[in-house]
Amino acid sequence: MQRRRTGMIAATSVLGMTAVLGGCGLGGGSGEVTLRLVAADYGDSASNSSQKYWDKLVKAYEAKHANVKVEVSVYSWNDVDRKVKELVAAGKAPDMAQIGAYADYAAAGKLYSTADLLSIPVEADFLEPLADAGEVKHNKYGLPFAASTRVLFYNKTLFTEAGITPPKDWSELAADAEALKEKGVKYPFALPLGSEEAQAETMQWLLGGGGGYTDDIGTYTLDSAENISTFTWLRDNLVAKGLTGPVAPAELNRADAFAAFANGDVGMLNGHPTLIQQAAKKGVKFGTVAMPGRNGKAKTTMGVADWMTAFKQNGHREQIGDFLDYVYSEQNVLAFSREYDLLPVTNSASDAMQASTQDKDLRPFLAELPLSTLYPVGNTSWAAVSADIKKGIGRAVAANGNPTAVLGQLQAAATLAESGK
């Protein structure tokens, strides 16, 4: 099978891609190889555990590849990154790991690059912002595996009762929140800046204000003038006016905010695709719009991706590449995305989902993904910086909060973390 080892870009027809994915076998005579994959669990019960997804996929793959066996171990998101770290430290790295971050392993020279693994059409099929986010020092090591974006959810019933329409910019958002408060809505705008996922809520607001976590070359800019202005606006126009509900943003976690929305207690919040089913199960009538920015629709919104990695330790490069080509076939990417209400990471699967009526609820999220901005996961310091943001950013919008000081402290810590000291 031809593998991409240079910088050339290939365009292929659907027929050509099918031929590569379906007819690309490994040469015989090399003996049986067992590949080991450690993966994260996206299910919320035993009935939809990711183990079931992988077992079905592996069974179909092994039926066509007699000399390759694949063993998959699935762990919860609370454990999977730690488990892989322990295996690598013990000299027992898996062949593949589907986890939340990859940069540390790439920087240590432990991973195959995508160019070493994937066939040309499969590598070319990844959505551009996701593929770019998998890069360390101009080489791609992280294969995007699952993705999501955020949009603004609003409670249609509460909006109708308040006589308001979905906001297009921050001033309209604040005005809508005021109207909802006057109607007695518990959380006019839910602002979860608690430790669970504050880095996500923060990034959405920074992008809407024209800022972000880094500049174009990956240098942290947490205390930029744009970012300080954004958190000053949040403090003065939402939090100080009592428009974010009875729980202080620093104490409100994303899961609790989602649950409150599903219970009909929230007028607006930023949400990802899993909130669709959660709200629908409780009978909440909701709508979604693009995340408002300071002066209109935000130029870019936040995208999130999880990552597939391939470790060099055991060799097996050809076998890993062939298996991953199969994993990233259109049908398998679609099956996984639909099972767990996530967005496809490939152009082919995204196009299929856009055209399918069964996926119409995901179209607003799909529309945002190609132009989204992802976390700076290519920075080996991102895990530490993200942890600091989760712990500290809520203080910036407290009644006596000082956005300049809080963001300045986070910037200083980020600069130190990036320097490796």
Side-chain angles (χ1 to χ4, degrees):
M1 183 188 342
Q2 184 181 16
R3 302 265 168 209
R4 178 176 179 257
R5 294 185 175 84
T6 66
M8 64 181 176
I9 299 174
T12 60
S13 66
V14 174
L15 180 61
M17 183 174 291
T18 301
V20 172
L21 293 173
C24 172
L26 296 171
S30 58
E32 185 173 292
V33 168
T34 298
L35 301 178
R36 293 177 174 82
L37 165 63
V38 174
D41 194 353
Y42 290 81
D44 55 13
S45 66
S47 63
N48 70 342
S49 166
S50 293
Q51 189 73 55
K52 289 190 173 183
Y53 170 82
W54 285 112
D55 287 348
K56 182 178 179 180
L57 183 148
V58 166
K59 183 178 180 181
Y61 180 79
E62 289 179 346
K64 297 181 179 180
H65 300 79
N67 292 333
V68 180
K69 301 298 179 185
V70 184
E71 296 179 356
V72 184
S73 301
V74 172
Y75 296 88
S76 75
W77 273 110
N78 292 330
D79 300 324
V80 66
D81 288 286
R82 174 183 54 79
K83 181 63 178 178
V84 172
K85 186 175 182 179
E86 290 172 351
L87 289 170
V88 173
K92 299 178 180 179
D95 296 284
M96 295 162 284
Q98 187 269 301
I99 48 180
Y102 64 87
D104 284 354
Y105 300 125
K110 296 181 181 297
L111 302 180
Y112 288 118
S113 71
T114 60
D116 288 331
L117 296 168
L118 301 177
S119 62
I120 293 170
V122 172
E123 187 176 19
D125 197 29
F126 288 122
L127 289 163
E128 185 175 359
L130 304 182
D132 290 346
E135 190 172 286
V136 174
K137 295 182 179 178
H138 310 296
N139 287 306
K140 293 179 170 62
Y141 297 96
L143 286 68
F145 183 75
S148 70
T149 54
R150 304 292 197 270
V151 298
L152 182 76
F153 281 72
Y154 66 96
N155 185 308
K156 286 186 174 181
T157 302
L158 297 179
F159 265 60
T160 298
E161 292 173 352
I164 55 178
T165 57
K168 298 181 180 66
D169 57 30
W170 287 359
S171 63
E172 290 184 7
L173 186 149
D176 283 350
E178 287 275 12
L180 291 164
K181 181 184 178 183
E182 290 174 5
K183 287 293 183 179
V185 175
K186 190 173 182 179
Y187 293 89
F189 187 96
L191 184 67
L193 294 176
S195 59
E196 179 190 4
E197 205 181 35
Q199 84 288 357
E201 186 73 17
T202 295
M203 185 170 174
Q204 292 167 84
W205 284 99
L206 297 185
L207 293 173
Y213 283 138
T214 65
D215 60 19
D216 292 340
I217 61 172
T219 302
Y220 288 110
T221 56
L222 278 79
D223 62 347
S224 69
E226 293 85 358
N227 293 347
I228 291 170
S229 177
T230 290
F231 267 80
T232 301
W233 187 92
L234 283 172
R235 181 196 64 186
D236 296 344
N237 293 278
L238 292 185
V239 182
K241 294 182 178 180
L243 302 180
T244 55
V247 180
E251 304 300 324
L252 182 64
N253 281 324
R254 189 265 305 164
D256 295 329
F258 278 22
F261 186 86
N263 287 332
D265 293 330
V266 175
M268 298 175 281
L269 55 62
N270 297 318
H272 54 64
T274 59
L275 184 55
I276 293 174
Q277 295 299 327
Q278 189 174 349
K281 287 178 181 178
K282 291 291 191 76
V284 172
K285 296 179 180 179
F286 63 89
T288 61
V289 293
M291 174 66 183
R294 184 184 295 276
N295 299 308
K297 182 181 182 296
K299 292 181 180 178
T300 179
T301 55
M302 187 188 73
V304 177
D306 301 322
W307 304 96
M308 179 70 76
T309 59
F311 286 87
K312 293 180 179 179
Q313 180 177 319
N314 305 318
H316 302 160
R317 179 179 63 84
E318 290 292 337
Q319 292 88 350
I320 293 171
D322 190 76
F323 177 67
L324 290 178
D325 272 0
Y326 182 75
V327 167
Y328 284 102
S329 67
E330 180 182 320
Q331 68 178 38
N332 285 329
V333 173
L334 275 174
F336 181 86
S337 302
R338 286 169 172 162
E339 177 68 28
Y340 299 107
D341 289 322
L342 292 165
L343 303 183
V345 297
T346 61
N347 287 291
S348 58
S350 292
D351 291 344
M353 189 172 274
Q354 281 277 17
S356 171
T357 55
Q358 80 177 88
D359 302 307
K360 63 181 186 301
D361 288 342
L362 290 175
R363 287 173 185 167
F365 301 91
L366 287 165
E368 298 294 331
L369 189 56
L371 299 176
S372 63
T373 299
L374 279 74
Y375 295 133
V377 289
N379 290 12
T380 56
S381 60
W382 170 240
V385 173
S386 176
D388 286 342
I389 293 168
K390 289 179 182 181
K391 289 187 291 186
I393 194 63
R395 294 184 288 110
V397 297
N400 58 348
N402 185 332
T404 301
V406 171
L407 289 168
Q409 291 165 3
L410 290 171
Q411 174 65 32
T415 300
L416 190 64
E418 184 65 10
S419 71
K421 295 180 180 179

